[in-house]
Amino acid sequence: MGFVNPNPMVGAVIVRDGRIIGEGWHQQYGGLHAERNAFAYCDEHGIDCTGADLYVTLEPCCHHGKQPPCTDAIIAHGIRRVFIGSADPNFCVNGRGVRILREHGIAVTEHVLREECDAINAIFFHWITQKRPFVTVKYAMTLDGKIGTYTGASKWITGEAARTDVQRERLRHSAVMVGIGTVLADDPLLTCRLENGRNPIRIICDSSLRIPPDSRIIQTAKDVPTIIATTSYDKKNNHAKNEKRHLLQEMGCTVISTGADPDPHHVNLEILMRKLTEMQIDSILAEGGGTLIASLFRKKYVNQVRAYIAPKIFGGRDAKTPVEGLGVRTPDDAYIIEHAETKRIGDDFVIAGRVAYR
């Protein structure tokens, strides 16, 4: 998880007489696929796979990419039967892998534990079929829906266990996105603090380039990939903005101009998403603030919500909430969270589910 994006996560086991004789998984982008890693284990240990069964969570590839076709390896190793969890919607595969195996006399059973296997690669399936990043909105709030007190204090709403779970989400997604308000208020690092983890690409939506050069994000931009998204033109402050852009680039940032949305104070999310897609960013964990999250919902870019809820009450008429903006007109216009699951993490709870747009 987190090391193969934008490719899928895949696992495979080779079985003979009810016993696993080899196993493998897709370990890193550009590396051996799951099936070839399983065969490599067998080859290294002198295990003959002839007549064995192969169980694989995703349809084997049948095209040349960074690795040769896995169908070739399956045929060459004399596999008798293949059991597949998920179909691969990639137009380079999309049923061709199954057809090739059957043409070579290999029995194929599809859709084994399909729901569970599909869940592993929700990001990959969206990326392949929709051609834009999978967006998860994450926030931590109190039982009364506050993400901070009336003074703006927000550390910490949830406990250590919930915050560690957020680190796993940063690992799972290719990038993490926040608005400039979050940077100015919290001065976050937005890195993955798991042992042997991988830092996500940091995306800051900053229409006027207000991000301070001495912020922790800018100070670490040469070590952690950082994208600053801004509007392309500022009539009142164009010279200063160009100088700031040059400074940020010198400090290691990639500055993307998007134009306004149409509010001159907001970046154009449609253009930004298009450019992030071109950069092979398949998934984004949007961590706030409320204005950015509201804009993502308004554009219907949010695919999943992950809400961490602490058993606390902050109160306060002016205390901030996770989703700001104008909001929906009536309860019937609400964004619906489908297939929501609730899990206890330490003293807190997380509710996660897919977003359904009316």
Side-chain angles (χ1 to χ4, degrees):
M1 182 179 73
F3 293 93
V4 298
N5 306 53
N7 284 346
M9 292 185 285
V10 187
V13 293
I14 304 168
V15 176
R16 178 187 287 116
D17 300 327
R19 186 172 64 89
I20 294 175
I21 60 174
E23 61 180 27
W25 61 96
H26 190 20
Q27 298 178 16
Q28 61 183 11
Y29 178 73
L32 291 177
H33 290 181
E35 300 94 322
R36 288 186 175 272
N37 267 323
F39 290 133
Y41 174 88
C42 291
D43 293 343
E44 183 180 345
H45 291 82
I47 300 172
D48 184 5
C49 298
T50 303
D53 297 335
L54 172 71
Y55 293 79
V56 61
T57 56
L58 183 68
E59 179 182 1
C61 68
C62 54
H63 64 288
H64 282 271
K66 292 187 177 295
Q67 293 291 333
C70 287
T71 50
D72 289 356
I74 294 170
I75 295 165
H77 281 81
I79 293 296
R80 180 171 62 101
R81 298 185 300 181
V82 176
F83 298 86
I84 298 171
S86 299
D88 189 342
N90 188 339
F91 73 94
C92 295
V93 186
N94 198 17
R96 288 181 59 232
V98 171
R99 187 172 68 250
I100 289 171
L101 295 176
R102 285 174 173 160
E103 287 173 352
H104 284 79
I106 298 173
V108 179
T109 300
E110 300 179 77
H111 312 314
V112 178
L113 296 176
R114 178 175 182 174
E115 186 175 339
E116 292 89 338
C117 292
D118 284 355
I120 296 171
N121 283 307
I123 287 175
F124 171 73
F125 292 153
H126 176 85
W127 165 254
I128 285 293
T129 59
Q130 303 302 312
K131 304 294 189 292
R132 72 166 184 257
F134 182 99
V135 177
T136 298
V137 159
K138 163 266 165 186
Y139 51 82
M141 68 179 188
T142 60
L143 276 178
D144 57 336
K146 305 300 184 181
I147 61 173
T149 67
Y150 75 93
T151 65
S154 61
K155 291 184 179 179
W156 295 101
I157 293 175
T158 54
E160 184 65 33
R163 298 201 297 273
T164 299
D165 192 69
V166 172
Q167 299 302 314
R168 285 192 285 269
E169 289 300 307
R170 287 183 181 177
L171 174 62
R172 185 166 75 98
H173 292 75
S174 292
V176 58
M177 176 186 285
V178 299
I180 182 59
T182 298
V183 176
L184 295 176
D186 299 337
D187 192 21
L189 265 177
L190 302 179
T191 54
C192 177
R193 293 185 286 277
L194 296 177
E195 187 176 356
N196 299 319
R198 171 202 51 83
N199 287 324
I201 298 168
R202 301 177 299 192
I203 304 168
I204 316 301
C205 292
D206 181 8
S207 60
S208 300
L209 292 185
R210 291 188 291 152
I211 191 167
D214 62 350
S215 65
R216 296 202 293 170
I217 285 175
I218 301 305
Q219 290 296 312
T220 57
K222 289 186 178 179
D223 300 316
V224 183
T226 303
I227 296 170
I228 311 295
T230 184
T231 54
S232 57
Y233 185 64
D234 185 341
K235 187 178 292 185
K236 291 183 179 179
N237 201 21
N238 197 35
H239 178 70
K241 190 172 182 180
N242 284 337
E243 285 191 340
K244 183 70 170 289
R245 179 196 306 268
H246 182 68
L247 173 63
L248 293 174
Q249 290 171 333
E250 281 189 334
M251 297 184 75
C253 299
T254 298
V255 180
I256 293 180
S257 298
T258 69
D261 181 37
D263 185 334
H265 301 297
H266 294 161
V267 300
N268 188 314
L269 287 175
E270 184 175 348
I271 293 176
L272 176 59
M273 286 295 180
R274 192 183 311 149
K275 293 190 176 186
L276 296 177
T277 299
E278 293 170 357
M279 298 170 71
Q280 299 291 293
I281 294 175
D282 69 344
S283 52
I284 297 169
L285 182 65
E287 297 197 21
T291 301
L292 172 62
I293 290 177
S295 297
L296 289 168
F297 271 111
R298 180 169 53 86
K299 289 290 188 180
K300 299 184 178 181
Y301 286 149
V302 182
N303 302 106
Q304 184 181 59
V305 169
R306 195 166 183 87
Y308 296 84
I309 303 173
K312 302 175 182 177
I313 302 292
F314 280 177
R317 180 183 56 195
D318 298 324
K320 287 185 175 294
T321 57
V323 186
E324 297 179 2
L326 184 61
V328 299
R329 186 172 59 90
T330 70
D332 288 341
D333 297 326
Y335 303 107
I336 303 301
I337 309 303
E338 294 185 331
H339 311 297
E341 296 182 353
T342 303
K343 178 182 177 182
R344 184 160 190 164
I345 304 179
D347 293 329
D348 307 307
F349 297 86
V350 60
I351 299 178
R354 297 294 292 269
V355 180
Y357 293 99
R358 298 184 182 277

